[in-house]
Coordinates of all heavy atoms in Angstrom, one line a residue:
R19 N -4.6 -30.2 -0.3 CA -5.9 -30.3 -0.8 C -6.0 -29.8 -2.2 O -6.7 -30.3 -3.1 CB -6.9 -29.7 0.0 CG -7.1 -30.3 1.4 CD -8.1 -29.6 2.2 NE -7.9 -28.2 2.1 CZ -8.8 -27.3 2.6 NH1 -9.8 -27.6 3.2 NH2 -8.5 -26.0 2.4
T20 N -5.2 -28.7 -2.5 CA -5.3 -28.0 -3.8 C -3.9 -27.7 -4.3 O -2.9 -27.7 -3.5 CB -6.1 -26.7 -3.8 OG1 -5.3 -25.8 -3.0 CG2 -7.5 -26.9 -3.2
T21 N -3.8 -27.5 -5.6 CA -2.5 -27.1 -6.1 C -2.0 -25.8 -5.5 O -0.8 -25.7 -5.2 CB -2.6 -26.9 -7.7 OG1 -3.0 -28.2 -8.2 CG2 -1.3 -26.6 -8.3
E22 N -2.9 -24.9 -5.3 CA -2.5 -23.6 -4.8 C -2.0 -23.7 -3.3 O -0.9 -23.2 -3.0 CB -3.6 -22.6 -4.8 CG -3.2 -21.2 -4.4 CD -4.3 -20.2 -4.7 OE1 -5.3 -20.5 -5.3 OE2 -4.1 -19.0 -4.4
E23 N -2.7 -24.5 -2.5 CA -2.3 -24.8 -1.2 C -0.9 -25.5 -1.1 O 0.0 -25.1 -0.4 CB -3.3 -25.6 -0.5 CG -3.0 -25.9 1.0 CD -4.1 -26.7 1.7 OE1 -4.1 -27.9 1.4 OE2 -4.8 -26.2 2.5
N24 N -0.7 -26.4 -2.0 CA 0.5 -27.2 -2.1 C 1.7 -26.2 -2.4 O 2.8 -26.3 -1.8 CB 0.4 -28.3 -3.1 CG 1.6 -29.3 -3.0 OD1 2.5 -29.1 -2.2 ND2 1.5 -30.3 -3.9
L25 N 1.5 -25.4 -3.4 CA 2.5 -24.4 -3.8 C 2.8 -23.4 -2.7 O 4.0 -23.1 -2.5 CB 2.1 -23.7 -5.1 CG 2.3 -24.5 -6.4 CD1 1.6 -23.8 -7.5 CD2 3.8 -24.8 -6.7
V26 N 1.8 -23.0 -2.0 CA 2.1 -22.0 -0.9 C 2.9 -22.7 0.2 O 3.9 -22.1 0.6 CB 0.7 -21.5 -0.3 CG1 1.0 -20.8 1.0 CG2 0.0 -20.6 -1.3
F27 N 2.6 -23.9 0.6 CA 3.3 -24.6 1.6 C 4.7 -24.9 1.2 O 5.7 -24.8 1.9 CB 2.6 -25.8 2.1 CG 1.3 -25.6 2.8 CD1 0.3 -26.5 2.9 CD2 1.1 -24.4 3.5 CE1 -0.9 -26.3 3.5 CE2 -0.1 -24.1 4.2 CZ -1.1 -25.1 4.2
S28 N 4.8 -25.4 -0.1 CA 6.1 -25.8 -0.6 C 7.0 -24.6 -0.8 O 8.2 -24.7 -0.5 CB 5.9 -26.5 -2.0 OG 5.2 -27.7 -1.8
A29 N 6.5 -23.5 -1.2 CA 7.3 -22.2 -1.4 C 7.9 -21.8 0.0 O 9.0 -21.4 0.1 CB 6.5 -21.1 -2.0
E30 N 7.0 -21.9 1.0 CA 7.5 -21.6 2.4 C 8.7 -22.5 2.8 O 9.7 -22.0 3.3 CB 6.3 -21.7 3.3 CG 6.7 -21.3 4.8 CD 5.5 -21.5 5.7 OE1 4.4 -21.2 5.3 OE2 5.8 -22.0 6.8
L31 N 8.6 -23.8 2.5 CA 9.6 -24.7 2.9 C 10.9 -24.4 2.1 O 12.0 -24.4 2.6 CB 9.2 -26.1 2.7 CG 8.1 -26.7 3.6 CD1 7.7 -28.1 3.1 CD2 8.7 -26.8 5.0
M32 N 10.7 -24.2 0.8 CA 11.9 -23.9 -0.1 C 12.5 -22.6 0.3 O 13.8 -22.5 0.2 CB 11.5 -23.9 -1.5 CG 11.1 -25.3 -2.0 SD 10.7 -25.4 -3.8 CE 9.0 -24.6 -3.8
Q33 N 11.8 -21.6 0.6 CA 12.3 -20.3 1.0 C 13.1 -20.4 2.3 O 14.2 -19.8 2.5 CB 11.2 -19.3 1.3 CG 11.6 -17.9 1.6 CD 12.4 -17.2 0.4 OE1 12.1 -17.4 -0.7 NE2 13.5 -16.5 0.8
R34 N 12.6 -21.2 3.3 CA 13.4 -21.5 4.5 C 14.7 -22.2 4.2 O 15.7 -21.9 4.8 CB 12.6 -22.3 5.5 CG 11.8 -21.4 6.4 CD 11.2 -22.1 7.6 NE 9.8 -22.4 7.3 CZ 9.2 -23.5 7.6 NH1 9.8 -24.5 8.3 NH2 7.9 -23.6 7.4
A35 N 14.7 -23.2 3.3 CA 15.9 -24.0 3.0 C 16.9 -23.2 2.2 O 18.1 -23.4 2.3 CB 15.5 -25.2 2.2
R36 N 16.4 -22.3 1.3 CA 17.3 -21.5 0.5 C 16.8 -20.1 0.4 O 16.2 -19.6 -0.5 CB 17.3 -22.1 -0.9 CG 17.8 -23.5 -1.0 CD 18.1 -24.0 -2.3 NE 19.4 -23.5 -2.7 CZ 20.0 -23.8 -3.8 NH1 19.5 -24.7 -4.6 NH2 21.2 -23.4 -4.1
P37 N 17.1 -19.3 1.5 CA 16.6 -17.9 1.5 C 17.2 -17.0 0.4 O 16.6 -16.0 0.1 CB 17.1 -17.4 2.9 CG 17.9 -18.5 3.5 CD 17.9 -19.7 2.6
D38 N 18.3 -17.4 -0.2 CA 18.9 -16.6 -1.2 C 18.2 -16.8 -2.6 O 18.6 -16.2 -3.6 CB 20.4 -16.9 -1.3 CG 20.7 -18.4 -1.6 OD1 19.9 -19.2 -1.2 OD2 21.7 -18.7 -2.2
G39 N 17.3 -17.7 -2.6 CA 16.5 -18.0 -3.9 C 16.5 -19.4 -4.2 O 17.4 -20.2 -3.8
Y40 N 15.4 -19.8 -4.8 CA 15.2 -21.2 -5.2 C 14.5 -21.3 -6.5 O 13.9 -20.3 -7.0 CB 14.4 -21.9 -4.1 CG 13.0 -21.4 -3.9 CD1 11.9 -22.0 -4.7 CD2 12.7 -20.3 -3.1 CE1 10.7 -21.5 -4.6 CE2 11.4 -19.9 -3.0 CZ 10.4 -20.4 -3.7 OH 9.1 -19.9 -3.7
Q41 N 14.5 -22.5 -7.1 CA 13.8 -22.8 -8.3 C 13.2 -24.2 -8.0 O 13.8 -25.0 -7.3 CB 14.6 -22.8 -9.5 CG 15.2 -21.4 -9.9 CD 16.0 -21.5 -11.1 OE1 16.2 -22.5 -11.7 NE2 16.5 -20.3 -11.5
C42 N 12.1 -24.5 -8.7 CA 11.6 -25.8 -8.5 C 10.9 -26.3 -9.8 O 10.7 -25.6 -10.7 CB 10.6 -25.9 -7.3 SG 9.1 -24.9 -7.6
V43 N 10.6 -27.6 -9.8 CA 9.9 -28.3 -10.8 C 8.6 -28.8 -10.2 O 8.6 -29.5 -9.2 CB 10.7 -29.4 -11.5 CG1 9.9 -30.1 -12.5 CG2 12.0 -28.9 -12.1
V44 N 7.5 -28.5 -10.9 CA 6.2 -29.0 -10.4 C 5.8 -30.0 -11.4 O 5.7 -29.8 -12.6 CB 5.1 -27.8 -10.4 CG1 3.7 -28.4 -10.1 CG2 5.5 -26.7 -9.4
V45 N 5.5 -31.2 -10.9 CA 5.1 -32.3 -11.8 C 3.6 -32.6 -11.5 O 3.2 -32.8 -10.3 CB 5.9 -33.6 -11.5 CG1 5.5 -34.7 -12.4 CG2 7.4 -33.3 -11.7
T46 N 2.8 -32.6 -12.5 CA 1.4 -32.8 -12.4 C 0.9 -33.5 -13.7 O 1.7 -33.9 -14.6 CB 0.7 -31.4 -12.2 OG1 -0.7 -31.7 -11.9 CG2 0.8 -30.5 -13.4
N47 N -0.4 -33.7 -13.8 CA -1.0 -34.3 -15.0 C -0.8 -33.3 -16.1 O -0.9 -32.1 -15.9 CB -2.5 -34.6 -14.8 CG -2.7 -35.6 -13.7 OD1 -2.9 -35.3 -12.6 ND2 -2.7 -36.9 -14.1
D48 N -0.7 -33.9 -17.3 CA -0.5 -33.0 -18.5 C -1.7 -32.0 -18.7 O -1.5 -30.9 -19.0 CB -0.3 -33.8 -19.8 CG -1.3 -34.9 -20.1 OD1 -2.3 -35.0 -19.4 OD2 -1.1 -35.6 -21.0
F49 N -2.9 -32.4 -18.4 CA -4.1 -31.6 -18.6 C -4.1 -30.4 -17.6 O -4.7 -29.4 -17.8 CB -5.4 -32.3 -18.5 CG -5.7 -32.9 -17.2 CD1 -6.3 -32.1 -16.2 CD2 -5.4 -34.2 -16.9 CE1 -6.6 -32.7 -14.9 CE2 -5.6 -34.8 -15.6 CZ -6.2 -34.0 -14.7
H50 N -3.4 -30.6 -16.5 CA -3.4 -29.6 -15.4 C -2.2 -28.7 -15.4 O -2.1 -27.7 -14.6 CB -3.5 -30.4 -14.0 CG -3.5 -29.5 -12.8 ND1 -4.5 -28.6 -12.6 CD2 -2.7 -29.5 -11.7 CE1 -4.3 -28.0 -11.4 NE2 -3.2 -28.5 -10.9
S51 N -1.2 -29.0 -16.3 CA 0.1 -28.2 -16.2 C -0.1 -26.7 -16.5 O 0.6 -25.9 -15.9 CB 1.1 -28.9 -17.2 OG 0.6 -28.9 -18.5
Y52 N -1.0 -26.4 -17.4 CA -1.2 -25.0 -17.7 C -1.7 -24.2 -16.5 O -1.2 -23.2 -16.1 CB -2.2 -24.8 -18.9 CG -2.5 -23.4 -19.2 CD1 -1.5 -22.5 -19.8 CD2 -3.7 -22.8 -19.0 CE1 -1.8 -21.2 -20.1 CE2 -4.0 -21.5 -19.3 CZ -3.0 -20.7 -19.8 OH -3.3 -19.4 -20.1
R53 N -2.7 -24.7 -15.9 CA -3.3 -24.0 -14.7 C -2.2 -24.0 -13.5 O -2.1 -23.1 -12.8 CB -4.6 -24.7 -14.2 CG -5.2 -23.9 -13.1 CD -6.7 -24.2 -12.9 NE -7.0 -25.6 -12.7 CZ -7.5 -26.0 -11.6 NH1 -7.7 -25.2 -10.5 NH2 -7.7 -27.3 -11.4
A54 N -1.5 -25.1 -13.4 CA -0.5 -25.2 -12.3 C 0.6 -24.1 -12.6 O 1.0 -23.4 -11.6 CB 0.2 -26.5 -12.3
A55 N 0.9 -23.9 -13.8 CA 1.9 -22.8 -14.2 C 1.3 -21.4 -13.9 O 2.0 -20.6 -13.4 CB 2.3 -22.9 -15.6
L56 N 0.1 -21.2 -14.2 CA -0.6 -20.0 -13.9 C -0.6 -19.7 -12.4 O -0.3 -18.6 -11.9 CB -2.0 -20.0 -14.4 CG -2.2 -19.9 -15.9 CD1 -3.7 -20.0 -16.2 CD2 -1.7 -18.6 -16.5
I57 N -0.9 -20.7 -11.6 CA -1.0 -20.6 -10.1 C 0.4 -20.3 -9.6 O 0.6 -19.4 -8.8 CB -1.6 -21.8 -9.5 CG1 -3.1 -22.0 -9.9 CG2 -1.4 -21.8 -8.0 CD1 -3.7 -23.3 -9.5
A58 N 1.4 -21.0 -10.1 CA 2.8 -20.8 -9.6 C 3.2 -19.3 -9.9 O 3.8 -18.6 -9.1 CB 3.7 -21.8 -10.2
S59 N 2.9 -18.9 -11.1 CA 3.2 -17.5 -11.5 C 2.5 -16.5 -10.6 O 3.1 -15.5 -10.2 CB 2.9 -17.3 -13.0 OG 3.1 -16.0 -13.4
D60 N 1.2 -16.7 -10.4 CA 0.4 -15.8 -9.5 C 1.0 -15.7 -8.1 O 1.0 -14.6 -7.5 CB -1.0 -16.2 -9.4 CG -1.8 -16.0 -10.7 OD1 -1.3 -15.3 -11.6 OD2 -2.9 -16.5 -10.8
L61 N 1.5 -16.8 -7.6 CA 2.1 -16.8 -6.3 C 3.6 -16.4 -6.2 O 4.1 -16.3 -5.1 CB 2.0 -18.3 -5.7 CG 0.6 -18.8 -5.5 CD1 0.6 -20.3 -5.1 CD2 -0.1 -18.0 -4.4
G62 N 4.2 -16.2 -7.4 CA 5.6 -15.8 -7.4 C 6.5 -16.9 -7.2 O 7.7 -16.7 -6.8
V63 N 6.1 -18.1 -7.4 CA 6.9 -19.3 -7.2 C 7.7 -19.5 -8.5 O 7.1 -19.8 -9.6 CB 6.1 -20.5 -6.8 CG1 7.0 -21.8 -6.7 CG2 5.4 -20.3 -5.6
P64 N 9.1 -19.5 -8.5 CA 9.8 -19.7 -9.7 C 9.9 -21.2 -10.0 O 10.7 -22.0 -9.5 CB 11.2 -19.2 -9.3 CG 11.3 -19.3 -7.8 CD 9.9 -19.2 -7.3
A65 N 8.9 -21.6 -10.9 CA 8.8 -23.0 -11.1 C 8.7 -23.3 -12.6 O 8.2 -22.5 -13.4 CB 7.5 -23.5 -10.5
Q66 N 9.2 -24.5 -13.0 CA 8.9 -25.1 -14.3 C 7.9 -26.1 -14.0 O 8.0 -26.9 -13.1 CB 10.2 -25.7 -14.8 CG 11.3 -24.7 -15.2 CD 10.9 -23.9 -16.4 OE1 10.4 -24.3 -17.3 NE2 11.3 -22.6 -16.3
V67 N 6.9 -26.2 -14.9 CA 5.8 -27.2 -14.7 C 5.9 -28.3 -15.8 O 6.0 -27.9 -17.0 CB 4.5 -26.5 -14.7 CG1 3.3 -27.6 -14.5 CG2 4.4 -25.5 -13.7
V68 N 5.9 -29.5 -15.4 CA 6.0 -30.7 -16.3 C 4.7 -31.5 -16.2 O 4.3 -31.8 -15.1 CB 7.2 -31.5 -16.0 CG1 7.3 -32.7 -17.0 CG2 8.5 -30.7 -16.1
G69 N 4.1 -31.9 -17.3 CA 2.9 -32.7 -17.3 C 3.2 -34.1 -17.5 O 3.9 -34.5 -18.5
A70 N 2.7 -35.0 -16.7 CA 2.8 -36.5 -16.9 C 1.6 -36.9 -17.7 O 0.5 -36.3 -17.6 CB 2.8 -37.2 -15.6
P71 N 1.7 -38.0 -18.5 CA 0.6 -38.5 -19.3 C -0.6 -38.9 -18.5 O -0.5 -39.3 -17.3 CB 1.2 -39.7 -20.0 CG 2.6 -39.6 -19.9 CD 2.9 -38.8 -18.7
T72 N -1.8 -38.6 -19.1 CA -3.1 -39.0 -18.4 C -3.8 -40.0 -19.3 O -3.7 -40.0 -20.5 CB -3.9 -37.7 -18.4 OG1 -3.2 -36.7 -17.6 CG2 -5.3 -37.9 -17.7
A73 N -4.5 -40.9 -18.6 CA -5.3 -41.9 -19.3 C -6.3 -41.2 -20.3 O -6.9 -40.3 -19.9 CB -6.0 -42.8 -18.3
A74 N -6.4 -41.8 -21.5 CA -7.2 -41.2 -22.5 C -8.7 -41.1 -22.1 O -9.3 -40.1 -22.5 CB -7.1 -42.0 -23.8
Y75 N -9.2 -42.0 -21.4 CA -10.6 -42.0 -21.0 C -10.9 -40.9 -20.1 O -12.1 -40.4 -20.0 CB -11.0 -43.3 -20.4 CG -10.5 -43.6 -19.0 CD1 -11.1 -43.1 -17.9 CD2 -9.3 -44.2 -18.8 CE1 -10.6 -43.3 -16.6 CE2 -8.7 -44.4 -17.5 CZ -9.4 -43.9 -16.4 OH -8.9 -44.1 -15.2
F76 N -9.9 -40.4 -19.3 CA -10.1 -39.3 -18.4 C -9.9 -37.9 -19.0 O -10.4 -36.9 -18.4 CB -9.2 -39.5 -17.2 CG -9.4 -38.6 -16.0 CD1 -10.6 -38.6 -15.3 CD2 -8.4 -37.6 -15.7 CE1 -10.8 -37.7 -14.3 CE2 -8.6 -36.8 -14.6 CZ -9.8 -36.8 -13.9
L77 N -9.3 -37.8 -20.1 CA -8.9 -36.6 -20.7 C -10.0 -35.6 -21.0 O -9.9 -34.4 -20.7 CB -8.0 -36.8 -21.9 CG -6.9 -35.8 -22.2 CD1 -6.1 -35.3 -21.0 CD2 -6.0 -36.3 -23.3
P78 N -11.1 -36.1 -21.7 CA -12.2 -35.1 -22.0 C -12.8 -34.4 -20.8 O -12.9 -33.2 -20.8 CB -13.2 -36.0 -22.7 CG -12.4 -37.2 -23.2 CD -11.4 -37.4 -22.2
S79 N -13.1 -35.2 -19.8 CA -13.7 -34.5 -18.6 C -12.7 -33.7 -17.8 O -13.1 -32.6 -17.3 CB -14.3 -35.6 -17.6 OG -13.3 -36.4 -17.2
A80 N -11.5 -34.1 -17.8 CA -10.4 -33.3 -17.1 C -10.2 -32.0 -17.9 O -10.0 -31.0 -17.2 CB -9.1 -34.1 -17.0
T81 N -10.2 -32.0 -19.2 CA -9.9 -30.8 -20.0 C -11.1 -29.8 -19.8 O -10.8 -28.6 -19.6 CB -9.8 -31.2 -21.5 OG1 -8.7 -32.1 -21.6 CG2 -9.5 -30.0 -22.3
I82 N -12.3 -30.3 -19.7 CA -13.4 -29.4 -19.5 C -13.3 -28.8 -18.1 O -13.6 -27.6 -17.9 CB -14.8 -30.2 -19.7 CG1 -15.0 -30.6 -21.1 CG2 -16.0 -29.4 -19.1 CD1 -16.1 -31.5 -21.4
R83 N -13.0 -29.6 -17.1 CA -12.8 -29.1 -15.7 C -11.7 -28.0 -15.7 O -11.9 -27.0 -15.0 CB -12.5 -30.2 -14.8 CG -12.5 -29.8 -13.3 CD -12.0 -30.9 -12.4 NE -10.6 -31.0 -12.5 CZ -9.8 -31.9 -12.1 NH1 -10.4 -33.0 -11.6 NH2 -8.5 -31.9 -12.2
E84 N -10.6 -28.3 -16.3 CA -9.5 -27.3 -16.3 C -9.9 -26.0 -17.0 O -9.6 -24.9 -16.6 CB -8.3 -27.9 -17.0 CG -7.6 -28.9 -16.2 CD -7.1 -28.4 -14.8 OE1 -6.3 -27.4 -14.8 OE2 -7.5 -29.0 -13.8
F85 N -10.7 -26.1 -18.1 CA -11.1 -24.9 -18.8 C -12.0 -24.1 -17.9 O -11.9 -22.9 -17.8 CB -11.9 -25.3 -20.1 CG -12.5 -24.1 -20.8 CD1 -11.8 -23.4 -21.7 CD2 -13.8 -23.8 -20.6 CE1 -12.3 -22.3 -22.3 CE2 -14.4 -22.7 -21.2 CZ -13.7 -21.9 -22.1
A86 N -12.9 -24.8 -17.2 CA -13.8 -24.0 -16.3 C -13.1 -23.4 -15.2 O -13.3 -22.3 -14.8 CB -14.9 -25.0 -15.8
A87 N -12.1 -24.1 -14.7 CA -11.3 -23.6 -13.5 C -10.5 -22.4 -13.9 O -10.4 -21.4 -13.1 CB -10.4 -24.7 -13.0
V88 N -9.9 -22.4 -15.1 CA -9.2 -21.2 -15.6 C -10.1 -20.0 -15.8 O -9.9 -18.9 -15.5 CB -8.3 -21.5 -16.8 CG1 -7.8 -20.3 -17.4 CG2 -7.2 -22.5 -16.5
F89 N -11.3 -20.4 -16.4 CA -12.3 -19.3 -16.7 C -12.7 -18.6 -15.4 O -12.8 -17.4 -15.3 CB -13.5 -19.9 -17.4 CG -14.5 -18.9 -17.8 CD1 -14.4 -18.3 -19.1 CD2 -15.5 -18.4 -17.0 CE1 -15.3 -17.3 -19.5 CE2 -16.4 -17.4 -17.4 CZ -16.3 -16.9 -18.7
V90 N -13.0 -19.4 -14.4 CA -13.5 -18.9 -13.1 C -12.3 -18.2 -12.4 O -12.6 -17.1 -11.8 CB -14.0 -20.0 -12.2 CG1 -14.3 -19.6 -10.8 CG2 -15.3 -20.6 -12.8
R91 N -11.1 -18.7 -12.4 CA -10.0 -18.0 -11.7 C -9.8 -16.6 -12.3 O -9.4 -15.7 -11.6 CB -8.7 -18.9 -11.9 CG -7.6 -18.3 -11.1 CD -6.4 -19.3 -11.1 NE -5.3 -18.8 -10.4 CZ -5.1 -19.0 -9.1 NH1 -6.0 -19.7 -8.4 NH2 -4.1 -18.5 -8.4
Y92 N -10.0 -16.4 -13.6 CA -9.7 -15.2 -14.2 C -11.0 -14.6 -14.8 O -11.1 -14.0 -15.9 CB -8.7 -15.3 -15.3 CG -7.4 -15.8 -14.8 CD1 -7.0 -17.1 -14.9 CD2 -6.5 -14.9 -14.1 CE1 -5.8 -17.5 -14.4 CE2 -5.3 -15.3 -13.6 CZ -4.9 -16.6 -13.7 OH -3.8 -17.1 -13.2
W93 N -12.1 -14.7 -14.0 CA -13.4 -14.3 -14.5 C -13.5 -12.8 -14.8 O -14.2 -12.4 -15.7 CB -14.5 -14.6 -13.5 CG -14.4 -13.9 -12.2 CD1 -13.7 -14.2 -11.1 CD2 -15.1 -12.7 -11.9 NE1 -13.9 -13.3 -10.1 CE2 -14.8 -12.3 -10.6 CE3 -16.0 -11.8 -12.6 CZ2 -15.3 -11.1 -10.0 CZ3 -16.5 -10.7 -12.0 CH2 -16.1 -10.3 -10.7
K94 N -12.7 -11.9 -14.1 CA -12.8 -10.5 -14.4 C -12.3 -10.2 -15.8 O -12.7 -9.1 -16.3 CB -11.9 -9.7 -13.3 CG -12.5 -9.7 -11.9 CD -11.7 -9.0 -11.0 CE -12.3 -9.0 -9.6 NZ -11.4 -8.3 -8.6
V95 N -11.4 -11.0 -16.3 CA -11.0 -10.8 -17.7 C -11.9 -11.5 -18.7 O -12.3 -11.0 -19.7 CB -9.5 -11.3 -17.8 CG1 -9.1 -11.2 -19.3 CG2 -8.6 -10.5 -17.0
N96 N -12.2 -12.8 -18.3 CA -12.9 -13.6 -19.3 C -14.4 -13.2 -19.5 O -14.9 -13.3 -20.6 CB -12.9 -15.1 -18.8 CG -11.5 -15.6 -18.9 OD1 -10.8 -15.3 -19.9 ND2 -11.1 -16.5 -18.0
L97 N -15.1 -12.7 -18.4 CA -16.5 -12.4 -18.6 C -16.7 -11.2 -19.5 O -17.5 -11.3 -20.4 CB -17.1 -12.1 -17.2 CG -18.6 -12.2 -17.0 CD1 -19.0 -13.6 -17.5 CD2 -19.0 -11.9 -15.6
P98 N -15.9 -10.1 -19.4 CA -16.1 -9.0 -20.4 C -15.8 -9.5 -21.8 O -16.4 -9.0 -22.8 CB -15.1 -8.0 -19.9 CG -14.9 -8.2 -18.5 CD -15.0 -9.7 -18.3
I99 N -14.8 -10.3 -22.0 CA -14.4 -10.8 -23.3 C -15.6 -11.6 -23.9 O -16.0 -11.5 -25.0 CB -13.1 -11.7 -23.3 CG1 -11.9 -10.8 -23.0 CG2 -13.0 -12.4 -24.6 CD1 -10.7 -11.5 -22.8
C100 N -16.2 -12.5 -23.1 CA -17.4 -13.3 -23.5 C -18.5 -12.4 -23.9 O -19.2 -12.6 -24.8 CB -17.7 -14.3 -22.5 SG -16.6 -15.7 -22.4
A101 N -18.7 -11.3 -23.0 CA -19.8 -10.4 -23.3 C -19.6 -9.7 -24.6 O -20.5 -9.5 -25.4 CB -20.0 -9.4 -22.2
F102 N -18.4 -9.3 -24.9 CA -18.0 -8.6 -26.1 C -18.3 -9.5 -27.3 O -18.8 -9.1 -28.4 CB -16.6 -8.1 -26.1 CG -16.1 -7.5 -27.4 CD1 -16.4 -6.2 -27.7 CD2 -15.3 -8.3 -28.2 CE1 -16.0 -5.7 -28.9 CE2 -14.8 -7.7 -29.4 CZ -15.2 -6.4 -29.8
L103 N -17.9 -10.8 -27.2 CA -18.1 -11.7 -28.3 C -19.5 -12.1 -28.5 O -20.0 -12.3 -29.6 CB -17.3 -13.0 -28.0 CG -15.7 -12.8 -28.0 CD1 -15.1 -14.1 -27.6 CD2 -15.3 -12.4 -29.4
A104 N -20.3 -12.1 -27.4 CA -21.7 -12.4 -27.6 C -22.6 -11.2 -28.0 O -23.7 -11.4 -28.5 CB -22.3 -12.9 -26.2
A105 N -22.1 -10.0 -27.8 CA -22.9 -8.8 -28.1 C -23.4 -8.8 -29.6 O -24.6 -8.5 -29.7 CB -22.1 -7.6 -27.8
P106 N -22.7 -9.1 -30.6 CA -23.2 -9.0 -32.0 C -24.4 -10.0 -32.1 O -25.4 -9.7 -32.8 CB -22.1 -9.4 -32.8 CG -20.8 -9.1 -32.1 CD -21.2 -9.3 -30.6
A107 N -24.3 -11.2 -31.6 CA -25.4 -12.2 -31.7 C -26.6 -11.7 -31.0 O -27.8 -11.9 -31.4 CB -24.9 -13.5 -31.1
L108 N -26.5 -11.0 -29.8 CA -27.6 -10.5 -29.1 C -28.3 -9.4 -29.8 O -29.5 -9.2 -29.7 CB -27.2 -10.1 -27.7 CG -26.7 -11.2 -26.8 CD1 -26.1 -10.7 -25.5 CD2 -27.8 -12.2 -26.5
M109 N -27.5 -8.6 -30.6 CA -28.1 -7.5 -31.3 C -29.0 -8.0 -32.5 O -29.8 -7.2 -33.0 CB -27.0 -6.6 -31.8 CG -26.4 -5.8 -30.6 SD -25.1 -4.7 -31.3 CE -24.5 -4.0 -29.8
V110 N -28.7 -9.1 -33.0 CA -29.4 -9.7 -34.1 C -30.7 -10.4 -33.8 O -31.6 -10.6 -34.6 CB -28.5 -10.7 -34.9 CG1 -29.2 -11.3 -36.1 CG2 -27.2 -10.0 -35.3
L111 N -30.9 -10.7 -32.5 CA -32.1 -11.4 -32.0 C -33.3 -10.5 -32.3 O -33.3 -9.3 -32.2 CB -32.0 -11.6 -30.5 CG -31.0 -12.7 -30.1 CD1 -31.0 -12.7 -28.5 CD2 -31.4 -14.0 -30.6
P112 N -34.4 -11.2 -32.7 CA -35.7 -10.5 -33.0 C -36.2 -9.9 -31.7 O -36.1 -10.4 -30.7 CB -36.6 -11.5 -33.6 CG -36.0 -12.8 -33.2 CD -34.6 -12.6 -33.0
R113 N -36.8 -8.7 -31.9 CA -37.4 -8.0 -30.7 C -38.8 -8.3 -30.5 O -39.6 -8.6 -31.3 CB -37.1 -6.5 -30.8 CG -35.7 -6.2 -30.8 CD -35.5 -4.7 -31.0 NE -34.1 -4.5 -31.4 CZ -33.1 -4.2 -30.7 NH1 -33.3 -4.1 -29.4 NH2 -31.9 -3.9 -31.2

């Protein structure tokens, strides 16, 4: 259902097949390759991620979705950064 679920199940299979260590290549859409690499890294899966071309008409919405997904996945880091960046603008607002 998800990239994370797929990596968890695949890592389990690869670990059983090669208990002494394994490496893999994850092939996904080019817009999704960054997040797939982050997920693989978070799970400790030794993977290289390769992106396949995506149709141009789908790219804008897919890029926005990926941006939101990465923001939400790392919200503990991203939210304080956004608050820090927004603070000067909020201080200038009329009272």
